Amino acid sequence: MNTSIKSLVLAGSVMLLSAACANRLDVEPTQSIDESTALATEQDVTVTLVGAYDGMSSINVYGGAFQYAGDLLGDDREVVFGGTFTTLDEIWRKTMTPGNSQTTLTWNNSYSAINRANNVLSALDKVSTANRGPVEAQARFIRAAVYFELVRLYAKAWGDGDNAANLGVPLVLNPTRSVTDEDYKARNSVAEVYAQIIDDLTKAEQLAKYPPAIALLSRVYLMQGNYASARDAANRVITSGQFELEPDFANAFVDDNNESIFSIVVTDQDGANDMNTYYASALNQGRGDIRVQTKHLALYEASDVRGKFFNTSNAGSRTFTSKFNDRFGDVPVLRLAEMYLTRAEANFRLGTTVGAAPLADINLIRERAGLAPLTSLTIAAVLKERKLELAFEGQQIHDIKRTKGTVGTTAFSANNLVCPIPQREIDTNKKLVQNPGY
């Protein structure tokens, strides 16, 4: 069983279609909807929740940008960006400017998705008691997930200095329906943003035991170095019985697979997969812009099936990951394999065996990859399995920052590994302060 936006989108489509059929001959043309009636019924709120998921699925949010930004920022020539888009090339070269249109689109589209979630949360009184918990849980998950990516990309990492003093991103927790001076917010601290994220995800779990919220909570705690909480949240997902590792690694990247906890659904009718756009070759409907290099391929052991999950084009001169070959394939966000890796790392660091011994969890991932089991474990071995299993899924820069590593010779704390606040936002909102180095 996997959790995605598909069921909600379909449910929303059915409700919209039903409403359209019932009132086909009773249509009053309008250019806007009055605020007092826009969220007047439970159906309105449910449709708005679908809209929040749709905002989350934008190619500038979880439809690609969050993931490739994390990969490109954390890359040290394991890939080459060979495309013509200077915006992505700046991210890869760590030479971003405040006018970078991609980081601007990601910021704007993210806050649009957050605003849609805020609209849902503002109208929970219109939702029946039976449905209110699941609706609130999902809206809180969306808001938390987007804020988590924003604070990781546009602010110093957790633990890089004083979390209470470092500037994060503005917390907007109420709907913005018309922009006035009161709607311009200053940046909250990194600590405040993380506290809000954890509050939303914790409530989502309490309200509906929503698996994506629990899995994301594990990722958030791991980023903070709160290993006990990260371990326990990962263990709750693993032991829920709702997901299982696909026996074949390749099947983890097909639609409706058993280990997908949350994914962005793309169909030929709706949505777009920018991971396919940039990571896939022209033979797989992509641009072939992000090309895997020998430096990365050399990291895999000879029998590792993950090291063979690549394809070539142009007579073998260029290599691409095969994770995103399907133009209409779902974009993976949270997989069960990550939960095993998180539980293993946290248990290893703490000297505990909650759920399983860390060696057992790592060997479970290695066995699926066709590798011989390890007989002993080091933190370096744990982190290597994580890097290879989650390669090209957006976690690279964040794992480097939380473990205080380097990108080549660039320290994790370098200013150019943090995205600039968009210049148009600085110009518009005088309360915003730009990041150091820009």
Side-chain angles (χ1 to χ4, degrees), residues 82-98:
T84 57
F85 289 119
T86 58
T87 51
L88 271 66
D89 190 61
E90 283 184 4
I91 298 173
W92 178 62
R93 294 181 186 277
K94 293 76 172 168
T95 58
M96 294 171 288
T97 64

Side-chain angles (χ1 to χ4, degrees), residues 14 48 51 123 184 229 269 272 337 339:
V14 170
T48 303
Y184 293 128
S229 294
Q269 288 85 33
M339 298 297 101

Side-chain angles (χ1 to χ4, degrees), residues 16 33 66 94 122 143 185 188 191 217 248-249 282 308 324 337 346 348 353 407 435:
L16 287 171
I33 301 175
F66 282 156
K94 293 76 172 168
S122 74
R143 184 168 71 179
K185 305 290 186 182
N188 290 80
L217 192 59
D248 184 344
F249 176 74
K308 301 176 177 63
F324 312 110
F348 183 85
T353 56
V407 181
N435 284 323

